[in-house]
Amino acid sequence: MNRQDPLPYFERVKPGLVPIAGGQNEVCGTCRSGANPGYQRCYRCKNENVVEVLPISMSVHGELLHDRLRWYKDGNEQQKQDYTLQLAALLLLFLGRHLKCIGGNPDAVATVSSEKRDAVKNIVDRTANFRGMHAPLARTRSDNPPTFQAPDSLKDKKVLLLDDTFTTGRSITAAYRALSSVGAELLTPVVIGRHFRPGFATSERLHTCLKNHEWRLDRCGICAPIMCDGRSQAQLL
């Protein structure tokens, strides 16, 4: 969003946004997806020591946001352009409200690349507030788990680590560790969509809860998470 008004683009992706739950029984406080009864961390996050992230929205498999997050990378040229602008508008407006929640204004923005490309950089490049702030990470190993190398110039810099989709958390955790190893001061990592399959056994209760709530720009999973276990927001403070 360098010169365009972000609101028209935001309005086109807004119908697909789903609010974020807080850590609670059956909701993982690390990735904000479903967990087994009696647990507040999902099996993968607990056993693989996944970094805690802030998703902007749940990305329900097969629905609108999931579609945008897929085709901004792999669609035709018109889809890539339109969907990148929609995601950039969402990021711009969301962080305009919630930078304080993640730890303040960054000095640099690092993105999590895939084996083939750094598609998230295209979103950052179209977000006016982050113009000239992109700090590339080198993906040094692409197998499982991946590894990254961060530039030494990020030492003591406030860095926002950004990814488009959180599925397993392995890549963003590896990128986070690479930044930590060079002495970067990391803000809470942000992902645009937390990939979510409502039909999974650990997701059914959470999905039922989230369907009763509207995604709102003035709330996030840190300052005003959805609580599905009967607690009020006041009880969390």
Side-chain angles (χ1 to χ4, degrees):
M1 298 288 102
N2 292 334
R3 296 180 180 177
Q4 297 99 327
D5 179 0
L7 284 174
Y9 293 98
F10 168 71
E11 292 296 336
R12 290 161 64 185
V13 72
K14 184 180 177 182
L17 302 180
V18 178
I20 301 300
Q24 58 199 287
N25 181 34
E26 298 186 39
V27 179
C28 180
T30 298
C31 70
R32 311 306 181 95
S33 193
N36 287 318
Y39 292 88
Q40 293 188 13
R41 291 192 80 191
C42 67
Y43 180 85
R44 177 176 282 120
C45 287
K46 179 180 179 182
N47 286 276
E48 298 186 14
N49 199 25
V50 173
V51 65
E52 183 176 343
V53 299
L54 174 62
I56 294 177
S57 169
M58 303 302 285
S59 175
V60 181
H61 188 81
E63 296 190 4
L64 189 149
L65 180 60
H66 178 247
D67 175 83
R68 299 297 187 267
L69 289 167
R70 178 181 180 184
W71 296 111
Y72 96 93
K73 295 182 283 192
D74 296 323
N76 59 44
E77 289 306 312
Q78 188 64 50
Q79 287 174 318
K80 289 179 181 178
Q81 178 177 327
D82 288 349
Y83 294 173
T84 298
L85 287 171
Q86 289 176 35
L87 296 172
L90 171 60
L91 180 66
L92 175 68
L93 294 173
F94 178 83
L95 289 181
R97 296 286 191 99
H98 300 290
L99 276 176
K100 183 177 179 180
C101 299
I102 65 170
N105 290 290
D107 301 312
V109 180
T111 49
V112 181
S113 63
S114 69
E115 297 178 26
K116 299 178 180 179
R117 61 202 166 186
D118 188 355
V120 189
K121 180 181 182 296
N122 295 328
I123 298 174
V124 173
D125 287 346
R126 288 162 176 78
T127 306
N129 291 11
F130 296 150
R131 188 182 300 129
M133 295 174 61
H134 183 254
L137 303 179
R139 191 169 181 126
T140 55
R141 189 175 72 187
S142 296
D143 54 352
N144 194 9
T147 58
F148 294 85
Q149 183 175 350
D152 292 334
S153 59
L154 294 179
K155 177 179 173 60
D156 297 327
K157 298 286 183 66
K158 285 189 174 182
V159 179
L160 169 61
L161 179 59
L162 179 68
D163 202 357
D164 52 10
T165 302
F166 183 111
T167 304
T168 67
R170 293 189 180 107
S171 291
I172 198 167
T173 297
Y176 186 94
R177 290 171 180 165
L179 288 162
S180 295
S181 71
V182 298
E185 182 182 341
L186 282 147
L187 307 178
T188 300
V190 172
V191 295
I192 295 175
R194 199 310 178 199
H195 188 245
F196 187 62
R197 290 182 179 267
F200 282 13
T202 54
S203 302
E204 290 178 358
R205 178 175 174 273
L206 176 58
H207 188 235
T208 299
C209 169
L210 294 179
K211 286 193 299 183
N212 293 321
H213 297 273
E214 180 184 5
W215 188 94
R216 289 175 14 204
L217 192 57
D218 63 346
R219 67 183 303 164
C220 77
I222 291 177
C223 67
I226 301 297
M227 303 310 295
C228 302
D229 58 4
R231 288 183 291 166
S232 68
Q233 183 65 27
Q235 290 174 299
L236 302 177
L237 303 178

